[in-house]
Amino acid sequence: MVQLLGPQDRLLRMVEGAHPDVDVHVRGNEITLRGSAEAVRAARVLVDELLHMTKAGHALGEADVQSSARMLRDETGPRPSEVMGEAILSSRGKTIRPKTVGQKEYVDAIDENTIVFGIGPAGTGKTYLAMAKAVQALQRREVERIILTRPAVEAGERLGFLPGTLTDKIDPYLRPLYDALNEMMDPELVPKLMATGTIEVAPLAYMRGRTLNNSFVVLDEAQNTTPEQMKMFLTRLGFGTKMVVTGDITQVDLPQGASGLRLVTRVLERIDDIHFSRLSSDDVVRHSLVGRIVDAYSEYDERRMAARHERDEAAEFANRAERRTAARPAGPRDRMPKRGRS
């Protein structure tokens, strides 16, 4: 019961927030729900699911309650205990598992396909879950090594000259991958595996000319690849290798030119054994504000695109009218000489 309530009954308050028409009271090990029959039924389903997950050893957090409530609104979808029941990895007292329907479908797609693209906004767990699956595959000896890569593109800033060796210069771009690795594995083991080449963290430019066999390869921040870089990366695929490509096509930092991630969704969409998982703000598992920020920017972009479309249509209409006027043959009045002033 303590696990279900959370610190300062915070999780219980979130259950009340998900069902505002229901009053929730706890006395000892007994939970009482008061409200209309329909509202109480919906709230009880949520409480039962949360109790089931706590009994299964799932340490609940606020994001879990929010995701569970959202899943249960869709009565035809999977139950929260089914989505969150499968643990990918357990390390240092922390269990990594999918927390939304979209994340569960993404993880299942990684198991079932050779190349998977995880496309979605920040906070949806694209890279984190892919790296967890990579570590899981290495621990199960399904692959011989893990290769993590991302393009070294500045996020809208000019950092200028960076001192140190080549490794010192590129490490800042790869730091998020190192941080995730240290969360999923023993920090003392990671340097040893990197020294032996079992784990490799490298910029995308280092992939050229290689064939990657028996590996689990994760390309992060793929929206910042050019079409040529994306083709180069995908053609590194060797035997026994699985690739996961992650990115957010709304946050392209390329100074100019098209994003390779945008193009590849049109080029490879219908090829077997390649899967595109599209995550949304519903799959955000960070602070609840992140999902609302993502939605606000999406709405702004839609309004801006609609306004641009209207301007383009108006300009095209004006151009067509001007071309028709220019192509019209001159009439008698047009050919009359103008009289000068007397």
Side-chain angles (χ1 to χ4, degrees):
M1 184 62 69
V2 174
Q3 289 181 327
L4 176 61
L5 299 180
Q8 292 93 41
D9 294 348
R10 192 175 301 157
L11 300 185
L12 185 63
R13 300 282 81 81
M14 295 193 68
V15 173
E16 290 181 325
H19 297 277
D21 297 331
V22 176
D23 292 327
V24 184
H25 302 279
V26 177
R27 179 173 294 176
N29 288 330
E30 184 177 296
I31 299 177
T32 303
L33 306 175
R34 292 195 180 97
S36 66
E38 184 63 23
V40 168
R41 185 197 65 81
R44 178 171 180 172
V45 172
L46 174 58
V47 172
D48 287 344
E49 283 291 319
L50 297 176
L51 283 171
H52 180 79
M53 287 189 283
T54 55
K55 290 177 181 178
H58 191 146
L60 293 176
E62 294 183 21
D64 299 321
V65 179
Q66 290 175 339
S67 296
S68 298
R70 193 160 48 229
M71 280 183 257
L72 290 172
R73 293 191 194 107
D74 181 9
E75 297 182 355
T76 61
R79 305 186 76 80
S81 55
E82 296 172 350
V83 172
M84 304 182 194
E86 179 186 352
I88 301 172
L89 200 64
S90 295
S91 175
R92 304 168 64 189
K94 181 178 181 181
T95 301
I96 301 172
R97 65 183 83 219
K99 295 188 176 183
T100 68
V101 175
Q103 288 188 353
K104 180 67 164 62
E105 293 173 350
Y106 175 48
V107 169
D108 290 344
I110 293 175
D111 289 331
E112 297 165 4
N113 297 273
T114 299
I115 300 178
V116 174
F117 291 84
I119 302 173
T124 51
K126 306 179 299 294
T127 305
Y128 199 75
L129 290 174
M131 293 184 64
K133 292 298 292 183
V135 174
Q136 181 192 59
L138 183 66
Q139 292 179 347
R140 292 178 175 178
R141 300 186 184 277
E142 295 171 0
V143 296
E144 296 176 357
R145 57 180 173 163
I146 296 173
I147 300 175
L148 309 173
T149 183
R150 65 189 300 182
V153 177
E154 296 167 341
E157 301 178 62
R158 295 299 180 193
L159 301 180
F161 173 77
L162 295 176
T165 64
L166 180 60
T167 301
D168 296 331
K169 295 175 189 294
I170 62 177
D171 268 0
Y173 299 100
L174 306 175
R175 178 51 52 190
L177 302 180
Y178 288 117
D179 292 343
L181 268 180
N182 289 327
E183 283 188 33
M184 297 175 187
M185 305 181 74
D186 184 348
E188 296 181 358
L189 180 61
V190 172
K192 298 176 183 177
L193 294 176
M194 295 183 69
T196 60
T198 304
I199 295 179
E200 178 182 350
V201 183
L204 182 59
Y206 285 18
M207 299 296 109
R208 186 172 296 279
R210 301 174 61 180
T211 301
L212 308 175
N213 293 315
N214 302 315
S215 304
F216 197 114
V217 190
V218 178
L219 169 59
D220 187 31
E221 297 290 332
Q223 76 274 7
N224 289 329
T225 61
T226 64
E228 294 77 15
Q229 287 176 320
M230 179 63 75
K231 179 182 177 182
M232 178 274 292
F233 171 78
L234 294 175
T235 53
R236 302 307 95 200
L237 180 68
F239 294 106
T241 289
K242 190 179 289 286
M243 286 183 167
V244 181
V245 180
T246 69
D248 178 4
I249 56 177
T250 67
Q251 296 194 40
V252 178
D253 300 313
L254 292 172
Q256 59 184 0
S259 167
L261 184 60
R262 282 200 181 115
L263 179 63
V264 79
T265 58
R266 300 193 296 269
V267 175
L268 304 181
E269 184 75 58
R270 298 183 181 180
I271 296 182
D272 291 338
D273 211 19
I274 296 179
H275 180 83
F276 289 86
S277 291
R278 290 177 171 84
L279 304 170
S280 68
S281 59
D282 288 340
D283 300 302
V284 171
V285 293
R286 292 181 184 170
H287 194 286
S288 58
L289 270 178
V290 176
R292 282 179 270 170
I293 290 170
V294 170
D295 285 338
Y297 271 99
S298 297
E299 291 173 7
Y300 169 77
D301 289 337
E302 287 175 4
R303 292 196 303 269
R304 188 178 61 175
M305 291 298 293
R308 180 182 299 175
H309 181 68
E310 290 180 3
R311 289 196 302 269
D312 291 344
E313 281 192 336
E316 179 61 24
F317 179 80
N319 289 336
R320 285 200 300 266
E322 187 175 334
R323 288 195 296 268
R324 284 196 300 268
T325 301
R328 189 178 61 190
R333 291 184 179 181
D334 296 325
R335 289 193 294 267
M336 290 179 61
K338 295 181 180 180
R339 295 181 179 180
R341 292 184 180 180
S342 55

